[in-house]
Amino acid sequence: MAQDQRSTEESLEELEALLDTAGGESCGVVFQARPTPDSRTFLGKGKVQEMKEIIEAEKCDLAVVDNELSPSQMRALSEELGVRVIDRSGLILDIFAQRARTREGKLQVELAQYNYLRPRLTGMWKHLVSQTGTASPIGTRGPGETQLESDRRHIRRKIQKLTEELEQVRRVRAVQRRQREKNTVPMVALVGYTNAGKSTLLNRLTGADIQTGDRLFDTLDPTTRRVKLDQLGEVLLSDTVGFIQRLPHHLVEAFKATLEELAYADLLLHVIDVSNPGWEDQAAVVDKLIGELGAADTPRLEVLNKSDIFTGDVLPRGEHILRVSAKTGEGTDALLEKVAEILLAQSKRVWFAIPYRDSRLVELIYRDGEILQRNDLDNCVEIEATVSDRLMGQLEQYVVER
């Protein structure tokens, strides 16, 4: 099988999984290979007819195309097939609209929807609104359809308002980030392809009870938990939304308020589902998006998850590659040790002389550093400790030579 055809078939399988996540059921799959798309309907006449026959035979009420459609192609194809048509981006946006729970997440999804829908206004909303009573609501969870149809200026105002609200979210996050830096708590972010097992791994490492499932985009809203490492003290582990190939650029932009945390993390855990035959391609998608989000230089560990059901030949090995099973717990202790090792490598081993009047700093070292020796003297506490660069910034005036 040619590489292009195999990747296309894998993409179509992923599209079926997305449809299932959205609450739909696939009635059939049509594949077409042609040098250029049809300018009017994207698909050739023969394939359009084949799809129409499947739709009529199976009584389908929705067609999903695994490519970005222009507004005119979407309208023309819908007219030919007699059902609503959405593309891959529209399907992903619908899933996000269902799953977002926090105010921030809902704001981000709504902004992405408006940006996606704005160029598709002409002639589209009358058609969609007339069909929202059909059995399948997938692709109709857009914000304010009637206003979209009647008032374009309202859309522009709404986008501007949402952008301003998300900017406020960024400012709040910046304050929280500065507070974390002040408290010297290291941040470790879990990143990876959707359904790679990030939330299950976070639960395993921290004892959290985040809801998980074997579906795409099970986690949209960021979740952060604390874990205490013997050698290091407290560390924050943060789960992030899963990546996917051809993620709608509206979502990449809208979710920067969440994903920009990656650029400020001390360490990234790239969680990879090695039980998936296409795991290498998925890992490449994540690597590319990490670069686009400005976190290419952040230290990174590749965590080969679901290794208990890996069926391939040989997995890669290396200093920054670990095999784990979040489900069984295999390899997770070694992972925490490696996390501590990397974070400690960013630390310094120094002696401090801390006056008793500043004893709160001693507690800070115990919490966020590693105590090696302690001497209680008449006027101060002498401590030899390994501390992070950020903690060192707070304690520099107390450093003494030994």
Side-chain angles (χ1 to χ4, degrees):
M1 184 186 299
Q3 176 65 33
D4 288 347
Q5 182 177 346
R6 184 167 63 250
S7 62
T8 300
E9 290 185 359
E10 290 172 355
S11 184
L12 286 172
E13 289 174 2
E14 186 172 80
L15 187 71
E16 286 190 272
L18 286 167
L19 181 62
D20 176 70
T21 297
E25 182 180 348
S26 176
C27 300
V29 177
V30 173
F31 169 76
Q32 179 173 39
R34 56 179 293 163
T36 57
D38 183 272
S39 59
R40 179 174 177 270
T41 58
F42 188 80
L43 300 171
K45 290 183 179 179
K47 287 297 175 181
V48 171
Q49 182 60 34
E50 184 181 343
M51 285 185 67
K52 189 170 184 178
E53 291 171 1
I54 294 175
I55 287 168
E56 292 174 352
E58 300 292 336
K59 295 182 171 55
C60 302
D61 54 18
L62 175 70
V64 185
V65 179
D66 193 31
N67 294 85
E68 188 91 7
L69 297 177
S70 70
S72 62
Q73 287 172 334
M74 192 176 291
R75 289 195 300 273
L77 192 55
S78 181
E79 290 168 4
E80 292 285 343
L81 298 177
V83 296
R84 270 187 312 114
V85 174
I86 61 175
D87 57 17
R88 182 185 180 90
S89 293
L91 180 59
I92 292 174
L93 282 167
D94 186 89
I95 293 169
F96 275 60
Q98 293 182 54
R99 297 295 183 84
R101 293 291 178 267
T102 65
R103 177 177 176 273
E104 175 187 349
K106 290 176 181 178
L107 280 174
Q108 292 166 329
V109 171
E110 192 175 358
L111 176 61
Q113 286 180 312
Y114 277 123
N115 281 320
Y116 173 78
L117 296 172
R118 181 164 56 173
R120 293 166 171 81
L121 288 173
T122 307
M124 177 182 178
W125 286 105
K126 180 179 179 181
H127 175 65
L128 284 182
V129 171
S130 68
Q131 297 196 46
T132 53
T134 62
S136 173
I138 297 171
T140 65
R141 295 181 180 87
E145 288 87 348
T146 56
Q147 293 186 32
L148 285 170
E149 187 179 20
S150 63
D151 192 350
R152 291 172 181 268
R153 286 176 297 180
H154 169 77
I155 303 303
R156 289 194 294 270
R157 288 196 298 269
K158 189 68 176 176
I159 288 175
Q160 181 179 358
K161 182 174 183 294
L162 288 168
T163 302
E164 291 171 355
E165 289 186 55
L166 278 171
E167 187 56 41
Q168 176 61 27
V169 168
R170 283 194 175 94
R171 286 195 288 268
V172 170
R173 281 189 171 276
V175 171
Q176 294 172 337
R177 188 163 52 244
R178 285 195 295 271
Q179 186 63 40
R180 283 202 309 267
E181 290 172 353
K182 182 179 178 182
N183 293 336
T184 71
V185 181
M187 166 66 80
V188 178
L190 282 73
V191 299
Y193 208 78
T194 181
N195 206 32
K198 297 182 299 298
S199 297
T200 304
L201 183 60
L202 185 67
N203 285 343
R204 173 68 65 174
L205 296 177
T206 67
D209 58 354
I210 303 166
Q211 183 177 352
T212 62
D214 189 23
R215 297 205 299 178
L216 306 185
F217 296 119
D218 230 39
T219 300
L220 290 188
D221 298 310
T223 303
T224 301
R225 295 289 185 271
R226 290 177 180 264
V227 61
K228 188 172 181 62
L229 303 181
D230 292 338
Q231 314 94 312
L232 193 66
E234 283 195 332
V235 172
L236 294 177
L237 289 182
S238 182
D239 197 4
T240 61
V241 61
F243 296 168
I244 196 168
Q245 62 176 328
R246 289 180 284 150
L247 183 69
H249 70 274
H250 305 300
L251 277 178
V252 174
E253 290 300 314
F255 274 76
K256 276 187 176 177
T258 298
L259 294 175
E260 70 176 359
E261 289 290 298
L262 302 186
Y264 297 95
D266 298 283
L267 175 65
L268 301 182
L269 299 185
H270 179 182
V271 183
I272 301 169
D273 174 9
V274 291
S275 72
N276 188 306
W279 68 268
E280 291 175 284
D281 292 333
Q282 292 182 350
V285 169
V286 175
D287 286 337
K288 181 174 181 292
L289 284 170
I290 286 173
E292 290 178 6
L293 292 164
D297 296 330
T298 303
R300 194 181 319 174
L301 263 179
E302 290 192 350
V303 182
L304 307 182
N305 190 29
K306 306 187 186 181
S307 60
D308 54 313
I309 54 175
F310 173 66
T311 57
D313 297 324
V314 180
L315 282 174
R317 298 176 180 273
E319 183 183 358
H320 295 290
I321 301 174
L322 287 91
R323 293 180 57 171
V324 306
S325 169
K327 183 177 180 180
T328 67
E330 174 195 350
T332 51
D333 288 342
L335 173 59
L336 288 175
E337 289 175 6
K338 190 65 176 178
V339 168
E341 178 187 323
I342 292 174
L343 293 176
L344 282 169
Q346 304 170 16
S347 304
K348 293 181 174 63
R349 179 172 176 170
V350 290
W351 276 92
F352 301 102
I354 299 178
Y356 287 112
R357 66 175 181 275
D358 295 328
S359 58
R360 62 179 181 82
L361 297 176
V362 176
E363 297 174 7
L364 190 62
I365 298 173
Y366 269 96
R367 191 189 72 188
D368 297 327
E370 182 186 9
I371 303 293
L372 304 173
Q373 294 186 60
R374 170 174 175 158
N375 300 319
D376 294 293
L377 306 180
D378 291 338
N379 59 346
C380 70
V381 178
E382 281 191 343
I383 292 178
E384 183 186 18
T386 301
V387 297
S388 67
D389 288 339
R390 286 187 293 188
L391 182 54
M392 185 66 181
Q394 284 187 260
L395 301 171
E396 198 163 5
Q397 62 178 305
Y398 301 101
V399 173
V400 293
E401 296 293 334
R402 289 294 297 262

